[in-house]
Amino acid sequence: MEFLKKHAVWFVAGILIALGAVSLRLAWDDSTTMDEKAHIPASYSYVRFLDMRINPEHPPLIKDLSGLAMLLISPLPQFPMPSALWSQGDEGIDPAKHPEGPAKTWGLAQWSFGDQFLFGMGNDPNHVTFFARLPIILITLLLGFAIFRWTRELAGTLAGLFALLLYAADPNILGHDHLVTTDIGIAAFVFFSAYFFVRFLKDPSTKNTLLSGVFLGLANLAKFSAVTLFPLFGLIVILYALSKPCPDTIEATQQRAWRWRFFISLILKFAGSVVICFIAIWALYIPNTWNMPVETVQEIARAQFPNDRAIGRLAESTIIDMSEIPLMKPLAQYFLGVFMVFARVSGGNTYYFLGTVSNQATSLYFPVVFLMKATLPFLAILGFGFLYGLRRITKVAHADKQSGRTWREIFAHSFQAHIAQYTMLGFVALYSYLSITGNLNIGFRHLFPILPFLYVLGTKAVFDYWKRHHGNHTTWTIMRGFIFLFVCWIILIPVFAYPGYLSYFNTAMGGHTEGYKYVTDSNYDWGQDVKRLKQWVDTYNHCVDNNQTGSDECKTLTGGKSFPTAFPIQKIRVDYFGGSSPEYFLGNLYESWHSNNTPEPGWYAVSAGFYQESIYKPQPAGSLNYSWIPQHFLVGRAGDSIFIFYVDRVPEQGI
């Protein structure tokens, strides 16, 4: 153990290098996912043209970083500008809701921009996507180091290494840590913000006030869900100020006055950090809206907020009024995005979950998905931490009560001594509540902001228990053995799950090959396997053309089953969910397909999400779905998420 402590820096470097290497490999191997099709062209347009009309429902920080990386490509990628798509967006607004005239929106057009930018302009989509992903990997590595550092400060060097390993070996992190989305970004910057906020509470100096405000701003520039930090931090500041004990040097007659001075001082300094936060937001929005016409901001606002609802009218008028003032245009764009997110959450999204298809959220979604996708050692650590925490709270509270302290004094002492843990638990509780009660059930990735805090809290509980039993040789030895076994377990999980990290489900749910039965979308099938579909088809044709169907490489395609035909694939019907282009990779072999097309013999490649939705979504009488394809027609898979069928004859019930 002393060896680990002495050489901790090398272990940290080794873990982060391994994390970076795997992430880089996946950044090249994974095809463009669904949301990346919108984020990548938006990223490029922000830094190249200083105009953020594409994908305004997310703030620009993460996309700016990806856009800067794409500027390293030589020659620079072509972009569909000028074009009618850029100047007009997509028409499609109900005139009844906008009697003042047709309103244009680029919210719908973002998908068209993605198709054109990546696959219709002569750009190399592999290079563009890879370069855009590089800054996300850098953020991933910075978050890993931050998890190590904060855990080390709270529980020691060994605990810091353990928490870092939990993070770096989590398949769910590995599945998303290279994608051009806001999920890793918001997890990182919320964690950074909480760290500097706690430093501010312990020492509200000018430096810490500034850092707290800047990182609070960066969190809100990463994703709008960071607005939850404002009420949480505000409440914690109030509780911290009220529970602060007077210094021993303060006379009893002066204690009340001292408390009020400290309370007002801390509140004012926190208010100052909030002002700094909005200055940071305003400053970054300036270059991102520099060339964005005021009319475009207003047109997007009119398109997003229907006039038949009071909140919509309020949002629209507020944004339009702000945009008329040049200095306020950046903040108008910021609040436009905030309002769009609230509208998006309330509107819901169609999803498949446990045999049902709906666009109305269920409170079971996130708890169940968390239990299915979190690794078993991580769940065990969280369970242990919860039980140990309850035991410690009960024991300490009882001892304090026996000493004659009031419950207020007990809480005040605990709050001051463990402010970092209270901040983490407060965010986990608030964010979890909002996620569970919200109307947007589209992926475990939406819980990423709480994961770094759970890594730290779970690890701290384990190592606190270990330290408390350091004097008991038997317990200490058993704990050391358990930690060693857990380290091996944690490391082996991503080794055996590679490369199916995005589709990862823990072994209790059948692993990454079975998860589609429970839930899809970004939990399992986000379009990441189109390149692997191309590889599968090429390998299959190679095996057939060269009469090598009995080789080990060829047998792996079909899971050991015999090849269904002795002829190569000349046409494959593809029903694909994602941000890539099967036609670009498959060329003349590609044929577009949909579940309601009339069945016919031949090859099919169907995304797991579309497959499940077509079967379980209620359909009008006479509608077709994929239930006509028997499972024995399944030949293989491209990755985990694309099912490959060969239909030699259409079953009668499928016609």
Side-chain angles (χ1 to χ4, degrees):
M1 296 300 176
E2 290 301 322
F3 176 80
L4 290 175
K5 293 180 182 179
K6 184 177 180 180
H7 301 283
V9 63
W10 296 109
F11 283 98
V12 171
I15 293 172
L16 293 179
I17 289 171
L19 172 61
V22 174
S23 301
L24 285 170
R25 176 61 186 267
L26 291 170
W28 181 259
D29 289 347
D30 284 354
S31 48
T32 312
T33 57
M34 189 65 196
D35 281 19
E36 287 185 297
K37 183 164 74 169
H39 284 268
I40 290 176
S43 301
Y44 187 70
S45 67
Y46 289 11
V47 299
R48 182 83 187 276
F49 306 113
L50 306 182
D51 188 322
M52 59 177 298
R53 69 184 67 192
I54 308 176
N55 193 239
E57 67 183 82
H58 296 291
L61 176 59
I62 307 302
K63 287 179 285 191
D64 282 348
L65 296 174
S66 289
L68 289 171
M70 282 186 275
L71 294 182
L72 300 176
I73 301 173
S74 180
L76 286 175
Q78 298 297 308
F79 192 80
M81 173 189 175
S83 66
L85 187 64
W86 177 264
S87 60
Q88 299 176 13
D90 280 356
E91 303 285 356
I93 307 305
D94 185 354
K97 295 181 179 180
H98 293 276
E100 71 280 1
K104 303 163 188 170
T105 174
W106 287 261
L108 300 175
Q110 60 190 356
W111 310 109
S112 300
F113 276 113
D115 287 329
Q116 289 196 24
F117 179 59
L118 291 168
F119 305 104
M121 305 288 297
N123 300 319
D124 185 334
N126 297 310
H127 283 91
V128 170
T129 300
F130 179 76
F131 272 84
R133 288 170 169 175
L134 294 178
I136 313 302
I137 297 174
L138 178 59
I139 293 172
T140 299
L141 299 178
L142 292 174
L143 175 56
F145 179 77
I147 289 171
F148 164 75
R149 176 168 176 169
W150 203 357
T151 309
R152 182 184 64 181
E153 292 178 4
L154 295 173
T157 301
L158 292 179
L161 290 172
F162 190 83
L164 172 58
L165 183 64
L166 267 180
Y167 165 75
D170 190 330
N172 296 291
I173 297 296
L174 291 167
H176 289 266
D177 70 354
H178 55 285
L179 304 182
V180 187
T181 63
T182 56
D183 302 309
I184 287 293
I186 183 62
F189 284 101
V190 163
F191 192 79
F192 302 157
S193 180
Y195 175 79
F196 285 102
F197 172 70
V198 170
R199 283 185 56 177
F200 159 76
L201 289 177
K202 292 180 177 180
D203 177 20
S205 63
T206 301
K207 174 185 174 181
N208 287 337
T209 301
L210 177 63
L211 287 172
S212 177
V214 168
F215 278 93
L216 181 59
L218 292 175
N220 280 274
L221 286 164
K223 194 170 185 177
F224 291 121
S225 53
V227 297
T228 54
L229 294 176
F230 292 120
L232 175 66
F233 285 2
L235 177 62
I236 291 175
V237 165
I238 292 172
L239 293 175
Y240 191 83
L242 292 175
S243 62
K244 184 73 172 180
C246 290
D248 295 336
T249 56
I250 303 296
E251 297 181 6
T253 57
Q254 299 296 319
Q255 288 184 1
R256 184 179 179 86
W258 183 90
R259 289 180 186 277
W260 273 109
R261 286 196 301 271
F262 180 80
F263 179 84
I264 294 172
S265 173
L266 194 63
I267 294 295
L268 290 176
K269 289 179 179 179
F270 175 67
S273 72
V274 173
V275 171
I276 293 169
C277 159
F278 278 97
I279 291 174
I281 292 171
W282 175 76
L284 189 63
Y285 266 84
I286 289 176
N288 282 282
T289 58
W290 189 263
N291 290 332
M292 188 172 180
V294 172
E295 294 77 16
T296 301
V297 178
Q298 297 175 352
E299 286 169 349
I300 297 175
R302 293 190 184 100
Q304 292 296 325
F305 309 115
N307 283 329
D308 58 351
R309 296 180 61 186
I311 186 65
R313 292 194 298 272
L314 175 62
E316 180 181 323
S317 61
T318 300
I319 292 164
I320 289 176
D321 290 344
M322 289 180 67
S323 66
E324 297 287 354
I325 306 171
L327 283 177
M328 296 297 288
K329 188 180 77 170
L331 288 180
Q333 182 69 15
Y334 168 76
F335 285 111
L336 169 63
V338 173
F339 285 129
M340 287 178 69
V341 167
F342 284 114
R344 172 91 164 87
V345 172
S346 64
N349 201 86
T350 300
Y351 64 98
Y352 166 77
F353 176 61
L354 298 180
T356 62
V357 177
S358 176
N359 65 352
Q360 295 302 310
T362 169
S363 58
L364 292 175
Y365 182 88
F366 281 111
V368 171
V369 169
F370 185 91
L371 292 174
M372 291 192 295
K373 286 190 68 69
T375 66
L376 295 181
F378 184 36
L379 291 175
I381 289 167
L382 291 179
F384 174 85
F386 177 75
L387 295 175
Y388 177 68
L390 285 180
R391 181 173 177 270
R392 287 295 304 162
I393 290 171
T394 303
K395 187 175 181 179
V396 172
H398 178 73
D400 284 343
K401 195 66 177 174
Q402 291 294 105
S403 68
R405 289 184 177 183
T406 65
W407 288 113
R408 181 184 180 281
E409 290 172 332
I410 293 171
F411 173 76
H413 174 75
S414 175
F415 195 74
Q416 292 289 319
H418 307 289
I419 184 58
Q421 293 94 307
Y422 275 99
T423 299
M424 294 182 190
L425 285 170
F427 180 78
V428 169
L430 176 61
Y431 192 87
S432 299
Y433 170 77
L434 294 174
S435 298
I436 291 170
T437 58
N439 193 35
L440 203 59
N441 290 170
I442 58 174
F444 178 68
R445 63 191 176 90
H446 281 215
L447 294 182
F448 277 17
I450 70 173
L451 292 185
F453 298 112
L454 294 179
Y455 299 135
V456 175
L457 292 170
T459 298
K460 179 168 170 51
V462 170
F463 280 81
D464 279 356
Y465 181 85
W466 191 19
K467 289 177 182 178
R468 289 184 182 279
H469 293 81
H470 186 76
N472 186 323
H473 180 72
T474 301
T475 303
W476 190 81
T477 302
I478 293 173
M479 279 294 298
R480 184 170 61 177
F482 267 111
I483 290 173
F484 176 77
L485 290 175
F486 265 70
V487 167
C488 294
W489 191 6
I490 291 165
I491 292 173
L492 288 176
I493 286 174
V495 171
F496 285 105
Y498 179 86
Y501 297 140
L502 193 148
S503 53
Y504 175 81
F505 279 70
N506 60 48
T507 52
M509 306 310 300
H512 60 94
T513 61
E514 302 296 312
Y516 76 94
K517 297 177 180 178
Y518 311 109
V519 63
T520 55
D521 207 278
S522 60
N523 298 297
Y524 195 87
D525 168 28
W526 221 18
Q528 71 274 17
D529 287 325
V530 168
K531 288 185 182 180
R532 297 182 180 97
L533 174 61
K534 164 67 171 172
Q535 294 167 358
W536 195 99
V537 171
D538 286 348
T539 303
Y540 184 95
N541 285 345
H542 173 79
C543 292
V544 171
D545 288 338
N546 294 278
N547 196 26
Q548 296 178 356
T549 56
S551 68
D552 292 340
E553 180 186 16
C554 296
K555 285 182 178 179
T556 59
L557 291 178
T558 60
K561 296 188 296 184
S562 60
F563 276 44
T565 173
F567 300 100
I569 299 172
Q570 296 181 336
K571 189 70 67 175
I572 185 165
R573 300 157 184 82
V574 181
D575 192 3
Y576 165 72
F577 173 78
S580 198
S581 170
E583 184 175 13
Y584 177 87
F585 291 101
L586 293 172
N588 294 331
L589 301 179
Y590 169 80
E591 181 179 337
S592 179
W593 197 258
H594 193 271
S595 61
N596 60 14
N597 290 0
T598 303
E600 56 188 45
W603 286 95
Y604 291 81
V606 183
S607 289
F610 281 159
Y611 181 79
Q612 292 294 78
E613 286 186 16
S614 82
I615 294 175
Y616 290 98
K617 185 176 182 178
Q619 302 281 359
S623 298
L624 294 172
N625 59 27
Y626 286 123
S627 60
W628 66 270
I629 303 184
Q631 280 294 312
H632 68 260
F633 284 171
L634 181 64
V635 177
R637 293 191 190 185
D640 290 320
S641 69
I642 299 180
F643 300 156
I644 301 172
F645 300 97
Y646 178 72
V647 178
D648 55 354
R649 60 181 178 82
V650 177
E652 291 184 6
Q653 64 269 26
I655 300 176

